[in-house]
Amino acid sequence: MNIRVLCIELRRSVAPWAGALVLTSALAFLYLVDASWWRGTTAWTAQWTSMALWTRSLLFYLWPLAVGLGALQGLRDHRSKTSELLRSTPRPARHRAAALAGTTAITLASAFALLVLVGAVQVIAHTEYTHLGWLPISLVGALSLVAGAVLGMGAGRALPSALTPPALAMCAFTFTALMHMSFGRTETTTEAGVASTEPNRVSLLSPAVEEVRSVLVTLSASVHAGQTVWLLGMAATGFALLVATTRRARLLALTPVLAGTVLALLVLPSDPRRMYVVDEAAAEPVCDGPVCVTTTHRTRLADLAGPGKEALRLLHGALGDRAPVSVRENTAVLPDGTMPQWSSETVLFDFDDGTIATAKGEELTRALIAEAMVPGCTPVGWSSWGNEDFAQAVAVGWVLGDLRPLPATESADLRSEVEAGTRPVWKELKALPRAEQLSRINAMRAAALSCEGDAFDALSGGASR
C-alpha cells in the first residue's frame, strides 16, 4: 500500500475518526477520573511498567470500541452499494482488503502509541530507572486494537447490517467484562480463611489486564507469547472474512481464530503466580549499608538511609540481640487475602504505606520502628484499624521513651482514640521492672511477626483492653 492509496483510504474511511476517538477517550478517562492510576508508587506516570499496564487496562472498553468501529468500516461497500461492482474489477480482493485493513491498523496503532507517548514523557520526568521490559506490554496492547478492528471489519463484511457494529461492540465489551469476573476468575480460600479469586488462563484472552497493585509486577513472557498467538489468529480470521465471498469460505475463515485460541491456551500459564510476576531487575536491591531499596526506587535511598540507620540503632539499644539488623523495601507480591510474611531480622517496608510515603527525618524513624515492632497482620489488599495500631504506638513509645501518636494518626479523632486505648497500657508497662517490660515486648513481637495471637493483648499481659 503506497502513500497515495493510504491518503485516499484515509479520506474515504472512518479510520482517522477511529484513531481520534480512541486517543481522546483514553486521555479523558485517565485525566478526568480520579482513580488508582494517580496514586502511590503505581501511578501511571511514575514508572514505565505501571504506565504500560495502566494503558493496557483501558482496553476493557477501547478494544470493544475498536471492534465496533472496524465493523462500521466493513460496512462501507455495502452502504455505498458497490460490492458487486468491486467484485467485477480485476484487482484482487486481498489488495482491497489490505488497503482497508492497513489504513485502520495504522491509525489505531498510532493512536495507542500517542497515548503511551503521553505517559512516557511524564514517566521520564519522574524516574531515573529506565528499561525496555514495558515495551512488550504496550506492543501487545496495540496489536489487540488492530486485531479487534480487523475482526470487526470481517464480521461487518460477512454480516452487512446496521445492527452489526453495535452488536459486535456490545459482545466484545461483555467478553472483556466476563474475563475479569466469573469466567476469568477461580475462587480460592486463603490460609487466613478469606474467600478470594485469582485470574485463570482464560482471563488472559482479554486484551485488558488486571489493576496494577505493585510497581514491581509485570506480565511474564509466556503471557506475551500466548496473547500474541491469539491476537494474530483473530486478525487472520478478520482478514479472511474480508476477502471471503462464499459461505464456505467464511466458515473456513474461522479456522485461524479457533486454532489461535487453542494454541494460546496451551502457551498461557495456568498458575496465577506465573502470569503476573515480579520484575527481578526492578526488584534488585540498592543499598546504603544496612538500608536497601529496590532499583525502581533508588532515588529515594538518600532520604531513607539516615532515618533507617537511626531506627536500627535505637532498636538495638532497646532489644539487644533480638533487634533487626537491616531495613529493606518489601519485594514480596502476594495474592489478595493472604497473610503477610515478616522477619525478625529485617524491617520490611513499602513505599505505598501512607506513613512511610509521607514521613521525613524523625517521623520516618518512628514509622520504621513501628514496622519493626508490629509490622501488621492484615490480609493483603485489606485495611483495618484497631489493636495493632495501639500496639505500634505503645511499642514505639517504649523504644523512644515517649508515647506519641504515629504519623498515620494525625486527625484529632484518631489521636483521641489512640490516647484512650494506649495510655493505660503504657502506664502499666512502664511501671513494671525492666525484665518484665522486655518479656512483654518480646511476646508482642512474637505474636506480631508470626500473625498468631493479638499483639496488643500480649503487650498488656494477656488481658484485652
Side-chain angles (χ1 to χ4, degrees), residues 254-265:
L254 300 177
T255 303
V257 72
L258 295 176
T261 303
V262 173
L263 289 175
L265 291 175

Side-chain angles (χ1 to χ4, degrees), residues 394-418:
V394 175
V396 173
W398 181 81
V399 172
L400 299 177
D402 178 21
L403 181 64
R404 286 192 297 160
L406 293 173
T409 56
E410 290 298 326
S411 71
D413 290 341
L414 288 181
R415 283 200 301 270
S416 61
E417 185 177 348
V418 171

Side-chain angles (χ1 to χ4, degrees), residues 227-314:
Q227 290 180 336
T228 299
V229 169
W230 150 247
L231 293 170
L232 289 176
M234 184 190 301
T237 287
F239 190 81
L241 286 173
L242 270 177
V243 300
T245 56
T246 65
R247 179 175 297 181
R248 183 171 180 273
R250 288 171 184 145
L251 289 176
L252 289 175
L254 300 177
T255 303
V257 72
L258 295 176
T261 303
V262 173
L263 289 175
L265 291 175
L266 292 175
V267 173
L268 292 170
S270 58
D271 186 350
R273 289 179 291 274
R274 292 176 53 222
M275 299 175 187
Y276 294 87
V277 298
V278 174
D279 186 338
E280 298 295 337
E284 190 71 22
V286 177
C287 301
D288 183 344
V291 181
C292 300
V293 298
T294 62
T295 301
T296 302
H297 294 133
R298 60 191 177 194
T299 56
R300 306 182 73 164
L301 180 59
D303 293 333
L304 184 74
K309 293 174 183 177
E310 178 65 10
L312 291 176
R313 184 188 69 80
L314 293 169

Side-chain angles (χ1 to χ4, degrees), residues 118-324:
V118 171
V121 170
Q122 297 175 83
V123 170
I124 291 173
H126 290 127
T127 183
E128 293 182 2
Y129 176 55
T130 303
H131 62 101
L132 295 177
W134 61 274
L135 196 54
I137 301 173
S138 295
L139 289 176
V140 173
L143 177 61
S144 67
L145 288 177
V146 171
V150 175
L151 180 65
M153 288 181 209
R157 181 68 61 84
L159 301 170
S161 168
L163 298 177
T164 299
L168 279 180
M170 184 55 65
C171 288
F173 182 78
T174 302
F175 173 79
T176 58
L178 290 177
M179 288 301 99
H180 291 274
M181 293 167 58
S182 55
F183 290 153
R185 310 289 296 186
T186 301
E187 291 189 4
T188 59
T189 301
T190 68
E191 58 187 16
V194 178
S196 181
T197 62
E198 293 181 327
N200 56 38
R201 74 173 72 189
V202 176
S203 69
L204 297 175
L205 295 178
S206 170
V209 297
E210 297 281 315
E211 181 174 318
V212 186
R213 294 193 300 109
S214 171
V215 71
L216 302 177
V217 168
T218 188
L219 291 172
S220 65
S222 57
V223 172
H224 298 319
Q227 290 180 336
T228 299
V229 169
W230 150 247
L231 293 170
L232 289 176
M234 184 190 301
T237 287
F239 190 81
L241 286 173
L242 270 177
V243 300
T245 56
T246 65
R247 179 175 297 181
R248 183 171 180 273
R250 288 171 184 145
L251 289 176
L252 289 175
L254 300 177
T255 303
V257 72
L258 295 176
T261 303
V262 173
L263 289 175
L265 291 175
L266 292 175
V267 173
L268 292 170
S270 58
D271 186 350
R273 289 179 291 274
R274 292 176 53 222
M275 299 175 187
Y276 294 87
V277 298
V278 174
D279 186 338
E280 298 295 337
E284 190 71 22
V286 177
C287 301
D288 183 344
V291 181
C292 300
V293 298
T294 62
T295 301
T296 302
H297 294 133
R298 60 191 177 194
T299 56
R300 306 182 73 164
L301 180 59
D303 293 333
L304 184 74
K309 293 174 183 177
E310 178 65 10
L312 291 176
R313 184 188 69 80
L314 293 169
L315 287 166
H316 185 269
L319 300 174
D321 294 339
R322 290 177 176 266

Side-chain angles (χ1 to χ4, degrees), residues 1 3-21 68-77 79-80 96-108 149 153 157 242:
M1 182 171 60
I3 300 298
R4 179 172 172 271
V5 174
L6 175 62
C7 292
I8 293 174
E9 285 294 334
L10 286 174
R11 290 196 301 268
R12 296 177 60 212
S13 70
V14 300
W17 299 104
L21 184 59
L69 291 170
L72 183 63
Q73 179 81 316
L75 291 176
R76 185 182 66 182
D77 294 345
R79 292 197 311 269
S80 59
R96 296 195 304 273
L100 183 67
T103 303
T104 303
I106 291 173
T107 305
L108 289 175
M153 288 181 209
R157 181 68 61 84
L242 270 177

Side-chain angles (χ1 to χ4, degrees), residues 412-442:
D413 290 341
L414 288 181
R415 283 200 301 270
S416 61
E417 185 177 348
V418 171
E419 178 70 18
T422 60
R423 183 63 62 178
V425 176
W426 162 259
K427 290 180 178 179
E428 178 183 330
L429 182 66
K430 294 298 289 183
L432 295 173
R434 177 68 182 181
E436 180 63 21
Q437 292 181 30
L438 190 57
S439 175
R440 290 197 182 187
I441 289 292
N442 288 334

